[in-house]
Amino acid sequence: MKNSCISRVPIFNHLTENEMAEISQVAISKRLKKGELLFHSVELSEQLFIVHKGLVKMYRITENGKEQIIRFVEEGDFIGELSLFSKTMTTSFAEAMEDTEVCTIQQQDIHQLLLRYPTISLKILEEFTSRLHETESLIEKLNSQDVEKRVASYLVELIEGQEDDSMTIHLPIRKGDLASYLGTSQETLSRRLSAFQNQGLIELKGQRKIIIKQLEELRKKANN
């Protein structure tokens, strides 16, 4: 489990098999049940977490007590990057959205790996840059776009991110979590999706399946 966990992470998988095997020696496996917290706010960050199987959501609690999702961590991704360079308190929660397996690496072990394999540092900087861009993009959407544009943009991103030409998408998360990520309520999200269906832009199939009927019109709503 640990070997495959390490080999799937971009910051490690460029190394040789022997080097990844060395890293796996300091990785500890951990299993989480759906709904179990991996870490919580105001907890000292001293570990790097790599998701081997499952799905984790990172979120914060707003001043009015609502959950604001800031990132979904999928298989092969990592979180807890603050532990790489400093001992600081976390400001967010990480919760398993389904039964999940993770690998954990302690801060002191990460430091030794960075000194031994400088290319890991470059890969980490690449990932930090990508995450900064994603965070800035999310903040911009929440601050400047209305709910209709946010929902349309999300659907367009899903369809454009697929490897095939299928016009059918499956929401990777339940609507309540998607609403939190898009900065709205589940009721408002459902109304927007129903409005898109009434306009002939999409067809809703069950709770998570959506057929895109008019992609160009959906793009226009996302870009207006």
Side-chain angles (χ1 to χ4, degrees):
M1 177 266 187
K2 290 186 290 186
N3 284 336
S4 60
C5 178
I6 297 301
S7 66
R8 297 186 61 188
V9 185
I11 62 173
F12 296 134
N13 64 11
H14 63 287
L15 301 173
T16 67
E17 289 189 8
N18 287 337
E19 290 168 341
M20 284 191 288
E22 179 183 347
I23 296 173
S24 73
Q25 296 301 311
V26 297
I28 301 173
S29 64
K30 180 180 179 69
R31 294 176 182 268
L32 300 171
K33 293 292 185 181
K34 179 180 179 180
E36 188 176 351
L37 289 177
L38 180 58
F39 59 79
H40 56 79
S41 181
V42 198
E43 180 178 340
L44 188 61
S45 176
E46 295 183 298
Q47 294 173 307
L48 183 72
F49 302 96
I50 301 166
V51 177
H52 176 56
K53 294 181 181 179
L55 181 65
V56 173
K57 67 177 178 180
M58 290 187 64
Y59 64 93
R60 294 177 180 175
I61 303 299
T62 63
E63 292 182 356
N64 58 7
K66 292 185 177 181
E67 178 183 297
Q68 173 61 63
I69 295 178
I70 55 179
R71 185 189 307 160
F72 295 103
V73 189
E74 302 176 330
E75 296 178 4
D77 202 355
F78 67 90
I79 48 179
E81 58 270 18
L82 290 177
S83 67
L84 298 180
F85 304 109
S86 65
K87 288 188 176 182
T88 183
M89 305 299 287
T90 60
T91 58
S92 58
F93 298 80
E95 178 184 325
M97 300 183 68
E98 56 191 57
D99 288 351
T100 299
E101 297 178 7
V102 300
C103 296
T104 66
I105 305 179
Q106 296 294 325
Q107 184 188 63
Q108 59 184 11
D109 293 320
I110 286 290
H111 287 173
Q112 292 299 318
L113 293 172
L114 294 178
L115 292 174
R116 194 171 306 170
Y117 307 114
T119 53
I120 296 178
S121 299
L122 296 177
K123 291 291 184 179
I124 289 173
L125 288 175
E126 289 178 8
E127 181 64 25
F128 279 1
T129 301
S130 175
R131 292 186 179 184
L132 179 60
H133 175 74
E134 291 176 1
T135 301
E136 290 176 342
S137 177
L138 177 60
I139 292 174
E140 181 181 359
K141 288 179 180 178
L142 294 177
N143 290 336
S144 65
Q145 294 183 356
D146 58 27
V147 175
E148 181 177 85
K149 289 186 67 173
R150 280 179 245 159
V151 176
S153 296
Y154 182 78
L155 294 179
V156 170
E157 288 172 4
L158 280 184
I159 202 71
E160 291 180 343
Q162 295 188 151
E163 296 181 356
D164 54 33
D165 296 327
S166 172
M167 286 293 105
T168 299
I169 56 179
H170 296 267
L171 296 179
I173 52 178
R174 62 186 182 89
K175 289 180 181 176
D177 289 317
L178 177 56
S180 173
Y181 179 68
L182 295 177
T184 187
S185 67
Q186 184 172 347
E187 293 76 13
T188 300
L189 172 63
S190 295
R191 286 197 297 269
R192 285 297 93 207
L193 291 174
S194 294
F196 288 165
Q197 179 170 251
N198 293 336
Q199 295 165 23
L201 304 182
I202 66 174
E203 181 180 352
L204 301 174
K205 293 284 189 179
Q207 290 297 311
R208 294 193 179 185
K209 184 178 179 181
I210 300 176
I211 300 173
I212 306 299
K213 310 291 286 188
Q214 298 187 48
L215 181 57
E216 289 306 317
E217 290 301 316
L218 202 60
R219 283 197 180 106
K220 290 179 181 178
K221 286 190 175 292
N223 296 324
N224 285 341

